[in-house]
Amino acid sequence: VEAGFFHGCGFTTSTKDVDPGMVSGPARGKAMTSGFHHLALFTHDMKATIEFYERVLGMKARAVFEMHGVPGAKHCFLEAGNGAEISFVQLDDPEPRKAKAGKEIPRWPQTTLDGGVPMPGGTLAHIAFRCGDVEELKILRQQIEDAGVVVSPILDHGMCYSAYFRDPNGFHLEICTTIRPYNSDEVVPRLLDIRLGAKDGTNTFSMKPAKL
């Protein structure tokens, strides 16, 4: 990926007087965040979770402490790259439990609950971690596989390459690298005003293993 590639894709560090929002138009805010500080998720086993992210993904736990303002809870933070952190919260009182696969969270690699029951809005689909380039993606995928974790082949999404797996909590994870800007088929604002049925779409894209 060339230096400045992401700026060429239309990404911005602040809005100022540049491109309007896709939905908000000229009402788009003038200030924008500089990225994620941390993503916080619930866990039933913080120690096993830290071990997984350190061993499998090479992250490093930076802090663990009693969660501020929440009695009976602890909070940890792991370095995830480029200044971002992933955080886990464990509520110990009452005793924590693992989410029920198929009943409360999708079984991997499904996106729905058992019987095709859809997940409600406000729930997590998956977490995608960025790799700097294709070579980094290949190295990290091999590290995941060598750690004994079931991981998909590297798949070609068109604009990016990705591989998928899950963590001990059941969270669906992705490692991903961008290979080109979005094209016109991937910027379709009219879809926001359409309720898209399973058989109504015109998308003929089929994910295949990336040719690397």
Side-chain angles (χ1 to χ4, degrees):
V1 177
E2 300 176 6
F5 172 78
F6 288 104
H7 292 290
C9 290
F11 289 94
T12 52
T13 55
S14 62
T15 59
K16 299 189 185 298
D17 295 319
V18 295
D19 47 341
M22 180 181 289
V23 174
S24 61
R28 180 183 175 194
K30 299 302 181 184
M32 187 173 72
T33 63
S34 58
F36 283 101
H37 183 277
H38 69 274
L39 173 68
L41 305 166
F42 286 110
T43 181
H44 67 288
D45 190 335
M46 184 175 288
K47 186 173 182 179
T49 296
I50 291 174
E51 193 274 342
F52 175 89
Y53 281 85
E54 289 191 329
R55 178 174 60 87
V56 177
L57 288 172
M59 297 182 185
K60 181 175 177 59
R62 291 299 187 186
V64 57
F65 49 87
E66 292 187 27
M67 191 172 189
H68 301 159
V70 184
K74 50 198 173 194
H75 206 180
C76 74
F77 291 81
L78 292 107
E79 179 182 356
N82 289 324
E85 295 178 311
I86 185 167
S87 169
F88 290 91
V89 175
Q90 181 172 317
L91 301 173
D92 286 337
D93 187 10
E95 185 176 351
R97 65 171 180 84
K98 187 174 183 178
K100 298 176 181 177
K103 300 296 183 183
E104 297 172 324
I105 59 172
R107 301 179 191 275
W108 187 82
Q110 304 301 318
T111 56
T112 60
L113 302 177
D114 289 353
V117 176
M119 293 294 290
T123 56
L124 180 70
H126 64 271
I127 304 166
F129 295 107
R130 183 172 61 212
C131 295
D133 53 31
V134 173
E135 189 59 29
E136 185 177 303
L137 176 66
K138 291 164 63 177
I139 291 170
L140 194 52
R141 187 207 169 275
Q142 188 63 54
Q143 179 174 292
I144 294 166
E145 187 172 65
D146 290 345
V149 176
V150 176
V151 58
S152 76
I154 294 176
L155 300 174
D156 184 353
H157 281 278
M159 83 292 285
C160 65
Y161 292 156
S162 301
Y164 298 89
F165 56 107
R166 64 178 174 176
D167 84 346
N169 302 286
F171 291 120
H172 295 198
L173 305 179
E174 174 185 353
I175 49 173
C176 180
T177 190
T178 298
I179 58 171
R180 64 159 172 79
Y182 297 117
N183 63 31
S184 59
D185 291 333
E186 295 150 358
V187 185
V188 190
R190 64 181 178 81
L191 291 177
L192 299 174
D193 297 314
I194 297 173
R195 182 176 178 181
L196 195 62
K199 298 180 180 180
D200 297 338
T202 59
N203 183 6
T204 59
F205 182 85
S206 178
M207 276 195 300
K208 299 177 181 178
K211 295 179 180 179
L212 303 176

